[in-house]
């Protein structure tokens, strides 16, 4: 029986030789240059979306690509390699089945999760078996949930009482903003915010502080406001 033929890449470069080049470049740290740039589209993604790591500044005469999870060329963190001429994809240890490599080197993720957050490195292998690499970052966020407000009391006396409001949320990595009567709260010298803006203290309260308070939590992909809480300020 004849041995199976080895697919040949354009330019008389055996595709099996490309895989050998990948092994050499990763195992023996052969010289590579960092000239490729990798852009995440979108730059911030919500969990469950598709994200494309788009490659720019590709050199000519490439034989294939290899994508790695992390900032270095590490064969143990290889996602997949791609042979340009035959359009063959060879999965690596980090391949999950949700990744697609395009002929231009870009990497598509389907249904991203927060575990996908991190750096990714592309190694472009030339036909002379030299390499060029570039690294990009993928950021995945969970959409925020609706917060609520906890108050020490909702009926206070002008010039006598202090008021404390706390924005309650289980989300992390968020920003918090306060609103009064559907307008962004303008802080006075009687108002203080805790670190992270989760708690608002007004001491002492005045009649102009009465109204409907809300807090809003947000991250780069979503935002959500609490239900209004009404503050009643009594005065003589």
């Amino acid at each position: 029986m004849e041995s199976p033929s080895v697919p040949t890449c354009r330019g008389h470069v055996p595709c099996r030789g490309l895989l050998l080049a990948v092994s050499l470049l990763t195992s023996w740290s052969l010289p590579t240059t960092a000239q490729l740039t990798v852009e995440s589209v979108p730059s911030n993604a919500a969990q469950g979306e598709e994200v494309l790591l788009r490659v720019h500044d590709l050199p000519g005469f490439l034989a294939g690509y290899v994508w790695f999870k992390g900032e270095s060329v590490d064969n143990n963190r290889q996602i997949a390699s791609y042979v340009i001429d035959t359009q063959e994809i060879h999965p690596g240890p980090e391949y999950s089945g949700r990744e697609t490599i395009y002929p231009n080197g870009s990497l598509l993720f389907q249904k991203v999760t927060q575990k996908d957050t991190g750096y990714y490195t592309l190694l472009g292998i030339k036909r002379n078996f030299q390499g060029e690499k570039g690294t990009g970052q993928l950021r995945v966020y969970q959409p925020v949930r609706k917060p609520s407000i906890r108050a020490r009391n909702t009926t206070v006396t002008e010039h006598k009482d202090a008021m404390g409001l706390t924005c309650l949320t289980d989300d992390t990595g968020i920003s918090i903003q306060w609103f009064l009567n559907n307008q962004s709260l303008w802080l006075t010298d009687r108002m203080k915010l805790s670190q992270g803006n989760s708690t608002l203290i007004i001491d002492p309260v005045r009649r102009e502080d009465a109204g409907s308070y809300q807090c809003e939590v947000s991250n780069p992909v979503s935002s959500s406001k609490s239900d209004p809480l009404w503050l009643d300020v009594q005065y003589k």
Side-chain angles (χ1 to χ4, degrees):
M1 178 183 297
E2 293 182 357
S3 25
S5 60
V6 178
T8 302
C9 301
R10 191 185 311 121
H12 308 292
V13 179
C15 294
R16 192 172 292 172
L18 174 64
L19 300 180
L20 175 61
V22 172
S23 177
L24 290 174
L25 285 165
T26 54
S27 302
W28 294 94
S29 300
L30 296 182
T32 60
T33 57
Q35 296 181 3
L36 304 178
T37 56
V38 178
E39 172 194 14
S40 176
V41 182
S43 56
N44 297 300
Q47 185 161 291
E49 289 185 339
E50 289 187 352
V51 179
L52 181 69
L53 294 182
R54 180 180 292 163
V55 183
H56 301 280
D57 304 319
L58 278 173
F61 305 105
L62 287 176
Y65 311 101
V66 193
W67 276 99
F68 302 88
K69 191 168 186 178
E71 297 182 76
S72 61
V73 175
D74 180 353
N75 223 21
N76 294 323
R77 304 298 306 280
Q78 183 183 145
I79 298 171
S81 59
Y82 180 87
V83 181
I84 294 175
D85 290 328
T86 62
Q87 298 185 3
E88 294 177 356
I89 295 178
H90 300 268
E94 294 285 351
Y95 183 74
S96 69
R98 296 178 293 115
E99 302 90 351
T100 301
I101 302 178
Y102 290 116
N104 64 1
S106 297
L107 179 66
L108 177 70
F109 287 87
Q110 294 179 318
K111 298 181 179 179
V112 292
T113 71
Q114 287 182 288
K115 291 183 179 180
D116 295 320
T117 294
Y119 288 93
Y120 292 83
T121 296
L122 170 66
L123 175 65
I125 300 175
K126 297 181 180 179
R127 296 185 185 278
N128 60 4
F129 294 153
Q130 292 182 342
E132 291 194 13
K133 67 177 182 177
T135 298
Q137 189 173 11
L138 191 159
R139 301 178 182 90
V140 182
Y141 297 87
Q142 179 78 32
V144 296
R145 289 157 289 187
K146 186 175 181 176
S148 60
I149 296 179
R150 181 179 64 201
R152 294 179 184 174
N153 41 50
T154 56
T155 301
V156 291
T157 303
E158 184 181 35
H159 301 305
K160 177 182 177 182
D161 293 333
M163 179 194 69
L165 301 176
T166 300
C167 188
L168 303 177
T169 176
D170 292 328
D171 291 305
T172 59
I174 57 171
S175 299
I176 298 177
Q177 186 175 1
W178 288 90
F179 292 83
L180 174 59
N181 298 326
N182 290 318
Q183 300 293 322
S184 183
L185 179 64
W186 182 268
L187 293 178
T188 70
D189 56 2
R190 298 176 293 105
M191 298 179 179
K192 293 182 180 179
L193 288 171
S194 65
Q195 185 175 2
N197 297 348
S198 61
T199 298
L200 170 66
I201 301 293
I202 305 177
D203 188 13
V205 294
R206 293 181 182 172
R207 65 188 72 184
E208 60 263 31
D209 298 324
S212 174
Y213 285 81
Q214 290 175 284
C215 68
E216 180 183 71
V217 298
S218 62
N219 64 16
V221 300
S222 62
S223 63
S224 181
K225 273 186 180 180
S226 68
D227 289 331
L229 183 144
W230 182 265
L231 175 69
D232 182 28
V233 179
Q234 299 180 344
Y235 55 90
K236 297 180 180 180

